[in-house]
Amino acid sequence: MKHVINFSAGPSILPKTVFEQASQAVLDFNGMGLSILEISHRSSQFVAVMEEANALVRELIGLPEDYEVLFLTGGASTQFFMTVMNLLPEGKKAAYVDTGSWSAKAIKEAKILGSIDVIASSKEDNYTHIPKGYSVGSDYVFLHTTSNNTIYGTQYQSWPDSPVPMVCDMSSDIFSRPIDIDRFGLIYAGAQKNLGPAGVTLVIVKKDMLGKINRELPTMLKYETHINGKSMFNTPPVFPIYVSMLTMRWLKEQGGLAAIEEVNKRKADKLYSVIDEIPFYIGHSVPEDRSRMNVTFNLADASLNDPFRKFCEEAGCSGLKGHKSVGGFRASIYNAMPETGVDTLAEIMKAFALKHA
Ligand SMILES: *Cc1c(COP(=O)(O)O)cnc(C)c1O
C-alpha cells in the first residue's frame, strides 16, 4: 500500500491500529460471525460497545457524576442550535466569543432561536488571535466558546474568566489535552477531527444546565430524550460509535490526556520552530494563541505555493492545502498523527526553503 501521511483537517487521520481493528469488525465482530454493520443496536454486543464508549469518555476526562455523556447525530452544526434550544430560557441571554468561521456559524444559528450578545471577536484581524481582556456579565446563562479554530489555527491556551458556565465547541481538539471540566456546562464535538469517523457527535452536559426552559421541543432535539435513552432512543450511528470507542481505547493506552498533550506540544513545537526560524514561512496565528492541532502558514512568496504543494505531495504528505479564508497551507496534526509524520513535514519545509533561498 502507498504510504501517505495525512495532514487533512477533517475527516482526518485515526490511529492505524484503529483502522485495522475496525476493518476486522466489519468482517466479523467479536467472533459473532456477523459484521458490526449488520447487528442490532439492541444486541448485548453493541450495548457493551456503547457502555464502554461512555465509560472511556468519563475515565479520560475524569468526569464528575453530575455530567452526562451522549453520542448524537447531526454533527457539531446541530449543536449550534440544540444548545440554545435546550439551555437558554426565553427572556435570558447567552454570550458568544467569535473566534472564526465555526463560532460565526454557531452565532448565526443561536440568533435564530434566542437572544445572544457577541461580547468579543477577532474577525477584524482575520481571526489571527483569540480575543482577550473582555469581561463576562454574570447575567448570561452561558458563555459559548470554540476551543480550537480549525480553519485559522488558533486555540485557547488559557480560558476566559467567566462567572457563568462555558458551552464549548471542542470539535477539533477534543481529547488533545486535559479538560478543566468545572468550567464547562456543556461540551460538544463532531467526532471526525480527533475522535472517530464522521457521523457521531459527542455531547457532555452538566445536569444542572437542563430543565430551565419551558418551550416545547421535538423529542429528538431534547437532550433529556437521549439521556433517558442512553444515546439509543433511536438507532445510533453504530459504526462511528464503535470506531470512536476504539480510538479512545488507543488514547488510554497512550497514557490518556496528559500524556497525549505532551506529545501534541512536541509535535506542534517542531513545526512552529521551522516557521519561526525560516522567514520563508509566515504563520497565521499570533504565537501565544497557536493551535497544537492545526498549524496554518503562508509562504512569503505566494508564487511558490504550487511548487511547495507538489514538493509535499511527492514526499507523501497530503491534505496540506489551507482553507480559502487563510490561504497557503494548514498541517492538521491531530492525536493520531505520529511524531515521525511531523518530523517528515519539518524536514520537507526546511529542504524546500533551502532549495528556493
Ligand atoms: C469541523 C468543525 C465543525 C463542523 O462540524 P460538523 O460535525 O461537520 O457539523 C464545527 N466546529 C468546529 C470547531 C470544527 O472544527
Side-chain angles (χ1 to χ4, degrees):
M1 212 172 111
K2 195 169 148 193
H3 181 66
V4 176
I5 310 172
N6 182 15
F7 290 94
S8 168
S12 42
I13 190 170
L14 290 172
K16 191 158 182 288
T17 55
V18 168
F19 287 138
E20 286 161 358
Q21 291 161 2
S23 48
Q24 178 55 40
V26 169
L27 299 171
D28 179 9
F29 178 52
N30 280 356
M32 288 173 80
L34 293 171
S35 167
I36 178 95
L37 303 180
E38 63 182 332
I39 61 168
S40 166
H41 60 291
R42 307 282 176 205
S43 63
S44 59
Q45 287 86 351
F46 185 72
V47 170
V49 169
M50 185 65 103
E51 284 172 355
E52 185 173 347
N54 196 299
L56 281 164
V57 172
R58 305 199 81 94
E59 184 180 346
L60 286 167
I61 299 177
L63 204 60
E65 280 301 313
D66 54 344
Y67 286 78
E68 297 281 354
V69 174
L70 299 173
F71 294 95
L72 305 181
T73 52
S77 300
T78 294
Q79 296 309 311
F80 294 162
F81 61 85
M82 213 168 141
T83 45
V84 178
M85 279 180 154
N86 281 270
L87 308 181
L88 187 59
E90 269 161 51
K92 296 267 189 175
K93 278 184 158 195
Y96 277 66
V97 182
D98 173 24
T99 52
S101 310
W102 295 117
S103 309
K105 286 183 183 172
I107 288 164
K108 176 170 177 273
E109 296 302 303
K111 281 183 176 166
I112 296 172
L113 290 159
S115 175
I116 65 156
D117 290 333
V118 178
I119 59 167
S121 173
S122 50
K123 186 175 182 187
E124 293 203 338
D125 301 316
N126 197 21
Y127 299 118
T128 50
H129 63 96
I130 301 285
K132 295 176 198 73
Y134 54 90
S135 60
V136 185
S138 53
D139 290 346
Y140 292 115
V141 175
F142 62 80
L143 169 67
H144 184 281
T145 53
T146 311
S147 57
N148 183 74
N149 299 282
T150 328
I151 292 172
Y152 299 90
T154 60
Q155 184 180 31
Y156 283 85
Q157 299 306 344
S158 62
W159 294 112
D161 225 342
S162 175
V164 298
M166 266 193 286
V167 168
C168 188
D169 177 359
M170 289 196 188
S171 293
S172 56
D173 68 351
I174 185 87
F175 297 153
S176 69
R177 54 183 177 178
I179 295 173
D180 194 355
I181 192 67
D182 295 342
R183 294 176 178 272
F184 299 96
L186 187 146
I187 292 166
Y188 61 90
Q192 68 274 17
K193 311 279 167 57
N194 217 3
L195 176 60
V200 65
T201 310
L202 173 67
V203 173
I204 297 163
V205 58
K206 194 173 186 196
K207 285 184 225 171
D208 69 7
M209 297 291 287
L210 301 171
K212 295 184 179 159
I213 54 143
N214 39 29
R215 65 174 77 89
E216 198 59 42
L217 295 180
T219 309
M220 270 295 282
L221 295 181
K222 282 192 270 204
Y223 290 126
E224 279 94 345
T225 300
H226 301 288
I227 292 171
N228 296 336
K230 296 189 171 2
S231 300
M232 293 216 260
F233 168 74
N234 68 326
T235 317
V238 168
F239 193 60
I241 290 170
Y242 177 66
V243 182
S244 300
M245 186 279 280
L246 293 175
T247 308
M248 289 189 282
R249 269 190 195 162
W250 171 86
L251 192 50
K252 189 179 159 186
E253 281 163 20
Q254 308 306 303
L257 302 189
I260 206 80
E261 178 182 41
E262 288 312 306
V263 179
N264 286 332
K265 274 186 189 166
R266 243 185 357 252
K267 279 162 31 186
D269 283 349
K270 283 178 177 178
L271 295 183
Y272 288 122
S273 60
V274 174
I275 290 170
D276 287 339
E277 280 159 25
I278 310 180
F280 193 87
Y281 299 106
I282 300 164
H284 181 75
S285 170
V286 300
E288 66 269 24
D289 299 329
R290 282 171 168 173
S291 166
R292 295 187 193 127
M293 296 283 102
N294 312 95
V295 177
T296 49
F297 58 95
N298 273 276
L299 303 192
D301 177 357
S303 75
L304 291 172
N305 278 357
D306 282 336
F308 180 68
R309 189 167 304 130
K310 216 162 145 245
F311 194 74
C312 292
E313 272 163 23
E314 278 162 11
C317 295
S318 87
L320 285 163
K321 192 177 187 325
H323 189 273
K324 59 182 185 302
S325 38
V326 177
F329 298 89
R330 167 172 56 176
S332 297
I333 52 172
Y334 299 118
N335 286 349
M337 170 61 66
E339 212 161 335
T340 51
V342 170
D343 291 336
T344 301
L345 180 58
E347 287 313 313
I348 289 171
M349 290 172 74
K350 287 181 204 163
F352 188 82
L354 262 182
K355 196 172 144 190
H356 292 274

